[in-house]
Amino acid sequence: MTTYADASWNPIVDGSVGTPLVQTVDQRYAASSDADAAAKAVSTLRTTGPNASFVHFDDVDHAGHSYGAASQQYLDAIAEVDGYVGQLRAAVQSRPTYSSERWSFIVTADHGHTDAGGHGGSTPAERSAFILKTGPGIAKQTPAIRPKNVDIAADVLATFGVARPADLDGRPLATVSTDPFDTMVGVLRPRVDETGIPAGTLGWTHSMPSGWSVDNTGMGTGGVTEWAGWSLTTDEFWTQSQRDQSRETNVRERGVFAVADSDEWADKPHTGTFDSRITSQPYSVAGKTSATVSFGNHYRQDGTQRATVLVSFDGGAFRQVASYGSDQIAQTASVPVTVPAGAKQVRVQWALTDADNAWYWAIDDPQVR
């Protein structure tokens, strides 16, 4: 395999700030401008044809910083770079061996900008980016569960048949979700009490996937409707309920996930405390002596609030197998469980209790193996 890296923001490829983003490269080019980067990339793609190439254009980001995302200069920079991408595609298609080759293009950005200019804050505009992919076998569609930027590395590795390292976030772009929460994306609702969230944003429900249930018998009354007990939500909806309280750092969860948010629930008059339990569908453990419960785990601890994981075998009493008394920010939890002899099924329960205007717990992609 041969590789190529080309960037008009030189630190990405020349190592002048830290180590290069792309470290092991057959050919590396630090361009003087976007036009220079495009010209060099066009020549390289047309003649050399590396197996994998990374090409970076900086003018859109520069325009965003200087003039803001609402400016004509920003739109002009996007149009300029769109033209350069067109040149790259034309160069590939002009290769004499193009008809026997399989080329894919992925176009993305690492962040957005505010209308006034700049980035680095927690607004949806700054935190948002797009991913476009075209190539063999790629259907023209917008997936219901949005991919993330971390998926690009996993996708490229999968394209070349390279095993994904265990500690690498992300999954190939075409991966079909097996998360039960993601099946509920079509029933998400607009805001009720969360007036700071745009009215057109669909992002919460108290409905649960088939086989799942929520027990709110210990819940207080009143509070914010969206967060009265465990809810299903999305990053776009939940992070706008209240910014800069570490909801934005819930980066390993995607699509639809479950949240118990005592902090937001308490923002309207209420009585009692937050006490809610979400229980899974049954998972088979027949023939096993042990199993592992895994899930995306994003938790903030406060006061007397308690977060516990419990299991029940074949309809028996729930028993605790894990608890959290400190923050678990963007973790992947792995909880070992001993399976009683002869047990056939297990249900898992996540309980957030004794919380009064405390913090929250978000879980995603629950599995039992």
Side-chain angles (χ1 to χ4, degrees):
M1 297 291 181
T2 57
T3 53
Y4 170 68
D6 178 340
S8 58
W9 189 65
N10 296 167
I12 290 181
V13 293
D14 69 10
S16 59
V17 177
T19 57
L21 177 65
V22 184
Q23 296 186 43
T24 304
V25 180
D26 295 294
Q27 300 179 64
R28 189 190 311 273
Y29 184 66
S32 59
S33 65
D34 279 4
D36 182 33
K40 181 65 174 179
V42 163
S43 174
T44 302
L45 293 175
R46 182 186 294 126
T47 57
T48 305
N51 296 102
S53 300
F54 172 85
V55 183
H56 169 263
F57 299 114
D58 193 54
D59 284 355
V60 175
D61 184 55
H62 179 74
H65 281 290
S66 299
Y67 305 104
S71 68
Q72 184 61 46
Q73 290 91 335
Y74 195 68
L75 293 176
D76 291 344
I78 291 171
E80 173 195 11
V81 170
D82 182 62
Y84 293 144
V85 173
Q87 292 178 27
L88 301 186
R89 294 196 66 189
V92 165
Q93 292 167 351
S94 69
R95 289 172 52 78
T97 52
Y98 176 71
S99 62
S100 62
E101 299 171 343
R102 293 171 58 86
W103 286 80
S104 296
F105 282 80
I106 299 175
V107 184
T108 192
D110 58 340
H111 57 74
H113 278 271
T114 63
D115 283 353
H119 62 87
S122 61
T123 66
E126 293 165 271
R127 297 179 60 234
S128 296
F130 60 88
I131 301 174
L132 304 174
K133 182 178 180 182
T134 184
I138 304 299
K140 292 183 177 180
Q141 62 179 339
T142 300
I145 302 303
R146 298 179 181 180
K148 292 192 171 187
N149 290 65
V150 292
D151 295 337
I152 294 174
D155 190 80
V156 172
L157 291 175
T159 297
F160 291 101
V162 179
R164 179 169 61 92
D167 60 349
L168 181 71
D169 285 341
R171 62 194 188 192
L173 293 171
T175 302
V176 176
S177 171
T178 58
D179 181 357
F181 299 147
D182 287 345
T183 64
M184 305 302 289
V185 66
V187 302
L188 297 177
R189 302 173 55 189
R191 72 186 191 196
V192 176
D193 293 332
E194 288 284 7
T195 56
I197 299 174
T201 301
L202 306 179
W204 78 278
T205 183
H206 284 145
S207 299
M208 291 291 149
S210 176
W212 287 70
S213 63
V214 172
D215 179 1
N216 284 336
T217 55
M219 278 289 298
T221 61
V224 175
T225 299
E226 289 88 335
W227 316 115
W230 280 93
S231 307
L232 300 184
T233 189
T234 64
D235 177 85
E236 182 181 19
F237 192 91
W238 189 45
T239 55
Q240 292 189 82
S241 66
Q242 181 65 56
R243 296 205 302 268
D244 301 317
Q245 292 183 338
S246 294
R247 291 175 181 84
E248 296 87 359
T249 59
N250 184 30
V251 294
R252 283 194 168 89
E253 300 183 18
R254 66 172 69 221
V256 181
F257 49 89
V259 166
D261 194 331
S262 99
D263 175 72
E264 280 301 293
W265 173 70
D267 281 357
K268 287 190 68 175
H270 62 281
T271 63
T273 60
F274 190 103
D275 188 324
S276 183
R277 302 162 186 266
I278 184 172
T279 303
S280 76
Q281 65 193 50
Y283 294 93
S284 175
V285 290
K288 295 183 176 182
T289 58
S290 63
T292 300
V293 178
S294 65
F295 54 94
N297 192 20
H298 187 69
Y299 175 71
R300 289 198 67 188
Q301 173 66 33
D302 186 43
T304 60
Q305 170 184 292
R306 298 180 66 242
T308 53
V309 183
L310 308 97
V311 294
S312 165
F313 292 94
D314 296 334
F318 279 93
R319 61 179 178 84
Q320 181 177 312
V321 291
S323 64
Y324 303 102
S326 59
D327 289 357
Q328 307 289 310
I329 302 298
Q331 301 294 312
T332 299
S334 183
V335 180
V337 177
T338 300
V339 178
K344 292 181 172 58
Q345 292 184 328
V346 64
R347 288 181 183 267
V348 186
Q349 184 177 91
W350 293 262
L352 187 72
T353 58
D354 302 322
D356 186 8
N357 194 23
W359 282 123
Y360 50 73
W361 195 7
I363 64 170
D364 193 33
D365 195 19
Q367 300 180 39
V368 175
R369 293 189 178 92

